[in-house]
Amino acid sequence: MTGETAPLIEMVAICKDFGHVQALKDVCFSVNRGEVVGLLGDNGAGKSTLIKVLNGLYPPDSGEMRMDGQQIRFRSPKEAREAGIETVFQDLALVPLMSIDRNFFLGHEPLKKVGPIKFLDSKYMDQTCKAVLKEIGIHVRSTREEVSVLSGGERQSISIGRAIHFGVKLLILDEPTSALSIKETDKVLSYVTEAKNKGMGVIFITHNIYHVYPVADRFSILSHGTTLGNFVKGDVTPDNISQMIVTGRHF
């Protein structure tokens, strides 16, 4: 399969060792356009390692990865980002001491030219950032304020809003709701749904099924570095999945 008929991302028989420790063994995983996949498992299950293989931080020892049906192997997170994969790691969504608008445009900085010299287009950054934040329900006194003034939920929301604005193909969220209030969690989940509705693929990494179940279409469960199962939402309940995560066995 190629192009529109192929999964957005497909990982087949992925293996990764760290010395004598086998972190991933023959893991298979996929996500389609306009789909939210919950990547679940207990601590040490291999979730973060799998994502770091996908986004180019770790090279796989064996296995294949494809994007839109074409074989890929990113050599760095920068290459993955240039291909349209945005990863928002837990607690590292934004740079706290950098301004809100600089964070929003991080890696996409607009430049204007004055003679032979190029400058950041600060006015465009401020106006665009303010408009997008207003659209997703975040009101700030100034986009020039440091991100440190924002709550955890606002930071996650800005990260997701940034990805939606720049039209990435795949959004990877690493435990995006783990430290948020119920209200903030609901807001972040609404942005996940918005990303899905815009045709993006979303990988939602968590060990808490109740955070991802409302928005996910499918679930991929890892246990001790292997694929325990891949399930369509209608085939499993949150209790089924929780039991599998706890016991490490198929229900």
Side-chain angles (χ1 to χ4, degrees), residues 6-140:
L8 173 59
I9 291 292
E10 188 174 16
M11 306 176 77
V12 181
I14 299 297
C15 294
K16 182 63 185 176
D17 296 344
F18 296 100
H20 297 295
V21 177
Q22 188 163 33
L24 299 172
K25 181 180 179 182
D26 296 327
V27 173
C28 295
F29 177 81
S30 68
V31 58
N32 298 305
R33 297 174 193 79
E35 180 181 49
V36 179
V37 178
L39 182 57
L40 299 146
D42 211 344
N43 292 333
K47 306 185 299 296
S48 293
T49 302
L50 183 67
I51 293 309
K52 289 173 182 176
V53 168
L54 172 59
N55 73 10
L57 191 60
Y58 298 150
D61 295 325
S62 61
E64 289 188 3
M65 298 191 297
R66 293 185 282 269
M67 186 172 188
D68 291 327
Q70 301 297 315
Q71 191 164 338
I72 55 169
R73 181 170 292 197
F74 300 121
R75 292 172 295 180
S76 69
K78 183 176 183 291
E79 283 191 0
R81 193 174 194 188
E82 289 171 349
I85 298 175
E86 183 83 16
T87 305
V88 180
F89 289 107
Q90 181 184 8
D91 299 329
L92 292 175
L94 302 172
V95 183
L97 297 182
M98 191 179 285
S99 68
I100 296 168
D101 59 350
R102 285 295 303 274
N103 268 281
F104 188 87
F105 281 94
L106 196 62
H108 302 277
E109 290 84 354
L111 300 175
K112 62 180 179 180
K113 195 172 181 180
V114 180
I117 303 174
K118 293 181 179 179
F119 296 91
L120 276 178
D121 193 340
S122 299
K123 183 178 180 181
Y124 174 80
M125 290 170 63
D126 174 54
Q127 292 176 342
T128 302
C129 180
K130 193 173 295 182
V132 173
L133 295 189
K134 183 178 180 181
E135 186 178 328
I136 65 176
I138 297 177
H139 301 277
V140 295

